[in-house]
Amino acid sequence: MSSLNWKPFVFGGLASVTAECGTFPIDLAKTRLQVQGQVGDSKYREIRYRGMLHAMMRIGREEGPRALYSGIAPAMLRQASYGTIKIGTYQSFKRLLVERPEDETLLTNVICGILSGVISSTIANPTDVLKIRMQAQGNLIQGSMMGNFINIYQQEGTRGLWKGVSLTAQRAAIVVGVELPAYDITKKHLILSGYMGDTVYTHFLSSFVCGLAGALASNPVDVVRTRLMNQRGGALYQGTLDCILQTWRHEGFMALYKGFFPNWLRLGPWNIIVSFNCVVRAPVCLYTLCLMPRSLLTPLRNLLRALPH
């Protein structure tokens, strides 16, 4: 354990929180697009938004600009846990299997990506449930983050906090298992081809490529996961298969790709911000620390002091 490199965990978590703050309105628009048009739910039956930009403009106009950040608190908490564990374990697993980065293979990256994604998403699932509900329902959810966690537990029990955990793990396995290897392989081939060096532009291009791959692979699972997490109890969908069949039957196959454009548009910049952390760590960390509540800075400072240098 003494040889464990803590830097990927700390820097990965800080970069993930920064990326979440920068792309959150896009993520909120994606959630609203994914939950609308449900025939069996009168609350979400109406098609209110024609696309990402229309959704963001209408939400800002009708609910106020602050509504674009509904659910940001559990989202930041999610990234502080999910992002930290995902990126840290991914790098650690790779170093356990191969010592040198140039010896990495696609299979190695896929295995490490899936393991890190499943572990981190399972742990952070309660924050995902609350984030999606606050995004979908906006001002209807009042109170503090901890108060809402308690309400979900009291009304739905532990199963309510871990609702959709299998889908969350599947989505994370798909996203991480596709994105991280796609990023590594794209960057590796761009550098080895001689067209581009190991520059910021290489990281940017690799991030958009892996974001497209992740969005294509994960969007159907993301739609089903969002709808299951947003419902209270099991009134509309009895499970994953039932949600897929109802969505396909009533809304058509392409309904499983609702929110695809904001999903990809979010993943591109999100991955750029995280990958940029590998190039310029200090500015990312300083920016993230400025965004964090003061109550979180003291324990974080104590944690950093306790880590080996």
Side-chain angles (χ1 to χ4, degrees):
M1 294 296 292
S2 60
S3 61
L4 180 64
N5 186 6
W6 56 267
K7 291 182 180 180
F9 291 86
V10 175
F11 289 125
L14 291 173
S16 297
V17 172
T18 305
E20 188 71 15
C21 292
T23 62
F24 191 81
I26 300 175
D27 188 46
L28 184 138
K30 181 203 73 171
T31 299
R32 293 287 182 98
L33 289 170
Q34 289 179 340
V35 298
Q36 71 176 358
Q38 299 179 72
V39 176
D41 192 335
S42 58
K43 185 177 180 181
Y44 299 104
R45 185 176 301 163
E46 180 186 358
I47 303 295
R48 293 173 52 83
Y49 312 112
R50 296 192 298 270
M52 181 191 70
L53 293 177
H54 180 252
M56 294 173 67
M57 292 177 60
R58 184 167 181 176
I59 292 168
R61 184 175 62 251
E62 296 180 356
E63 304 175 39
R66 292 185 61 182
L68 292 171
Y69 280 87
S70 296
I72 187 62
M76 290 181 69
L77 179 60
R78 177 182 184 270
Q79 292 304 334
S81 54
Y82 170 75
T84 299
I85 299 169
K86 178 184 72 174
I87 297 177
T89 54
Y90 177 67
Q91 298 295 336
S92 299
F93 284 149
K94 287 200 299 182
R95 295 291 76 81
L96 285 174
L97 295 178
V98 292
E99 293 184 0
R100 300 184 304 170
E102 54 267 27
D103 294 333
E104 296 171 9
T105 63
L106 178 60
L107 180 60
T108 300
N109 293 337
V110 168
I111 293 173
C112 295
I114 290 175
L115 287 175
S116 62
V118 170
I119 293 170
S120 56
S121 64
T122 301
I123 294 173
N125 196 80
T127 59
D128 223 7
V129 172
L130 181 57
K131 183 199 78 167
I132 285 176
R133 292 188 181 186
M134 293 182 74
Q135 287 180 327
Q137 300 172 35
N139 296 329
L140 296 177
I141 295 185
Q142 301 292 334
S144 65
M145 179 177 65
M146 290 307 300
N148 281 296
F149 277 129
I150 294 172
N151 287 338
I152 294 174
Y153 176 76
Q154 290 177 340
Q155 296 175 14
E156 304 174 51
T158 305
R159 293 183 63 182
L161 291 171
W162 265 271
K163 178 176 290 186
V165 65
S166 62
L167 281 171
T168 304
Q170 290 173 34
R171 178 185 179 275
I174 293 171
V175 170
V176 181
V178 171
E179 274 190 359
L180 293 179
Y183 173 83
D184 285 343
I185 296 299
T186 302
K187 184 180 70 173
K188 179 180 178 180
H189 282 287
L190 285 173
I191 294 173
L192 292 178
S193 66
Y195 290 112
M196 302 179 73
D198 190 3
T199 64
V200 173
Y201 301 106
T202 306
H203 289 271
F204 283 5
L205 182 57
S206 302
S207 296
F208 268 107
V209 170
C210 77
L212 174 61
L216 284 170
S218 68
N219 208 87
V221 178
D222 196 36
V223 170
V224 175
R225 179 186 69 103
T226 299
R227 293 187 172 192
L228 286 175
M229 283 185 171
N230 188 48
Q231 73 170 359
R232 296 180 181 272
L236 183 57
Y237 305 115
Q238 302 304 316
T240 302
L241 182 59
D242 183 46
C243 183
I244 294 173
L245 292 176
Q246 285 199 48
T247 301
W248 194 339
R249 183 185 306 119
H250 297 304
E251 303 170 57
F253 173 77
M254 291 309 297
L256 295 172
Y257 276 89
K258 282 186 175 181
F260 171 78
F261 185 69
N263 191 14
W264 177 33
L265 196 61
R266 171 181 177 269
L267 288 175
W270 202 99
N271 288 318
I272 283 176
I273 295 172
V274 174
S275 65
F276 190 64
N277 170 62
C278 300
V279 183
V280 186
R281 285 174 173 169
V284 172
C285 295
L286 289 174
Y287 176 63
T288 304
L289 292 175
C290 291
L291 294 172
M292 295 180 70
R294 184 175 298 177
S295 59
L296 294 179
L297 291 178
T298 300
L300 177 61
R301 184 174 62 247
N302 295 334
L303 172 63
L304 292 174
R305 285 176 177 174
L307 290 170
H309 297 282

